[in-house]
Coordinates of all heavy atoms in Angstrom, one line a residue:
P68 N -6.0 25.9 -2.0 CA -6.9 26.7 -2.8 C -6.9 26.4 -4.3 O -6.4 27.2 -5.1 CB -6.3 28.1 -2.5 CG -4.9 27.9 -2.3 CD -4.7 26.5 -1.8
S69 N -7.4 25.3 -4.7 CA -7.3 24.9 -6.1 C -8.5 24.2 -6.6 O -8.5 23.5 -7.6 CB -6.1 24.0 -6.3 OG -6.3 22.8 -5.8
G70 N -9.7 24.4 -6.0 CA -10.9 23.8 -6.5 C -12.0 24.0 -5.5 O -11.8 24.7 -4.5
P71 N -13.2 23.6 -5.8 CA -14.3 23.9 -5.0 C -14.2 23.2 -3.6 O -13.6 22.2 -3.4 CB -15.5 23.3 -5.7 CG -15.0 22.5 -6.8 CD -13.5 22.8 -7.0
M72 N -14.7 23.9 -2.6 CA -14.7 23.3 -1.2 C -15.9 22.5 -1.0 O -17.1 23.0 -1.1 CB -14.6 24.5 -0.2 CG -14.6 23.9 1.2 SD -14.2 25.1 2.4 CE -14.6 24.2 3.9
H73 N -15.7 21.2 -0.7 CA -16.9 20.3 -0.5 C -16.9 19.8 0.9 O -16.1 20.1 1.8 CB -16.8 19.2 -1.6 CG -15.5 18.5 -1.6 ND1 -15.0 17.7 -0.6 CD2 -14.6 18.3 -2.6 CE1 -13.9 17.2 -0.9 NE2 -13.6 17.5 -2.2
F74 N -17.9 18.9 1.1 CA -18.1 18.3 2.4 C -17.0 17.4 2.9 O -16.9 17.2 4.1 CB -19.5 17.6 2.5 CG -20.6 18.5 2.8 CD1 -21.0 19.4 1.8 CD2 -21.2 18.5 4.0 CE1 -22.1 20.3 2.1 CE2 -22.3 19.4 4.3 CZ -22.7 20.3 3.3
G75 N -16.2 16.9 2.0 CA -15.0 16.2 2.5 C -14.0 17.2 3.2 O -13.4 16.8 4.2
H76 N -13.9 18.4 2.6 CA -13.0 19.4 3.2 C -13.6 19.8 4.6 O -12.8 20.2 5.5 CB -12.9 20.6 2.3 CG -12.2 20.3 1.0 ND1 -12.9 20.7 -0.2 CD2 -11.1 19.7 0.7 CE1 -12.1 20.3 -1.2 NE2 -11.0 19.7 -0.7
K77 N -14.9 19.8 4.7 CA -15.5 20.3 5.9 C -15.1 19.5 7.1 O -15.1 20.0 8.2 CB -17.1 20.2 5.7 CG -17.9 20.6 7.0 CD -19.4 20.5 6.6 CE -20.2 20.6 7.9 NZ -20.2 19.4 8.7
M78 N -14.7 18.2 6.9 CA -14.4 17.4 8.1 C -13.2 18.0 8.9 O -13.2 17.9 10.1 CB -14.0 16.0 7.6 CG -15.3 15.3 7.0 SD -14.8 13.8 6.1 CE -14.5 12.7 7.4
V79 N -12.2 18.5 8.1 CA -11.1 19.1 8.8 C -11.5 20.4 9.6 O -11.1 20.6 10.7 CB -9.9 19.4 7.8 CG1 -8.8 20.2 8.5 CG2 -9.3 18.1 7.3
V80 N -12.3 21.2 8.9 CA -12.8 22.4 9.5 C -13.5 22.2 10.8 O -13.2 22.8 11.8 CB -13.7 23.2 8.5 CG1 -14.0 24.6 9.1 CG2 -13.1 23.3 7.2
D81 N -14.4 21.2 10.8 CA -15.2 20.9 12.0 C -14.2 20.5 13.1 O -14.4 20.9 14.3 CB -16.1 19.7 11.7 CG -17.2 20.0 10.8 OD1 -17.5 21.2 10.6 OD2 -17.8 19.0 10.2
Q82 N -13.2 19.7 12.8 CA -12.3 19.4 13.9 C -11.5 20.6 14.4 O -11.3 20.7 15.6 CB -11.3 18.3 13.3 CG -11.9 17.0 13.0 CD -11.0 16.0 12.3 OE1 -9.9 15.7 12.8 NE2 -11.4 15.6 11.1
C83 N -11.1 21.5 13.5 CA -10.3 22.6 13.9 C -11.2 23.5 14.8 O -10.7 24.1 15.8 CB -9.9 23.5 12.7 SG -8.6 22.6 11.8
V84 N -12.5 23.7 14.4 CA -13.4 24.5 15.2 C -13.6 23.9 16.6 O -13.6 24.6 17.6 CB -14.7 24.7 14.4 CG1 -15.8 25.3 15.3 CG2 -14.5 25.5 13.2
F85 N -13.6 22.6 16.6 CA -13.8 21.9 17.9 C -12.5 22.2 18.8 O -12.7 22.6 20.0 CB -13.9 20.4 17.7 CG -13.7 19.6 19.0 CD1 -14.6 19.6 20.0 CD2 -12.5 18.9 19.2 CE1 -14.4 18.9 21.2 CE2 -12.2 18.2 20.4 CZ -13.2 18.2 21.4
Y86 N -11.3 22.1 18.3 CA -10.1 22.4 19.1 C -10.1 23.9 19.5 O -9.7 24.2 20.6 CB -8.9 22.0 18.3 CG -8.7 20.5 18.1 CD1 -8.6 20.0 16.8 CD2 -8.7 19.6 19.1 CE1 -8.5 18.6 16.6 CE2 -8.5 18.3 18.9 CZ -8.5 17.8 17.6 OH -8.4 16.4 17.4
Q87 N -10.4 24.7 18.5 CA -10.4 26.2 18.8 C -11.4 26.5 19.9 O -11.0 27.3 20.8 CB -10.7 27.0 17.6 CG -10.5 28.5 17.8 CD -10.6 29.3 16.5 OE1 -11.7 29.3 15.9 NE2 -9.6 29.9 16.1
N88 N -12.5 25.9 19.9 CA -13.5 26.1 21.0 C -13.0 25.6 22.3 O -13.6 26.0 23.4 CB -14.9 25.5 20.6 CG -15.5 26.3 19.5 OD1 -15.2 27.4 19.2 ND2 -16.5 25.7 18.8
Q89 N -12.1 24.7 22.3 CA -11.5 24.2 23.6 C -10.4 25.2 24.1 O -9.8 25.0 25.2 CB -10.8 22.8 23.4 CG -11.6 21.7 22.8 CD -12.8 21.4 23.6 OE1 -12.7 21.1 24.8 NE2 -14.0 21.4 23.0

Side-chain angles (χ1 to χ4, degrees):
S69 72
M72 179 168 171
H73 53 61
F74 274 71
H76 300 125
K77 174 179 170 288
M78 295 168 76
V79 171
V80 187
D81 291 341
Q82 292 170 58
C83 290
V84 170
F85 165 73
Y86 293 120
Q87 188 171 64
N88 289 342
Q89 307 298 307

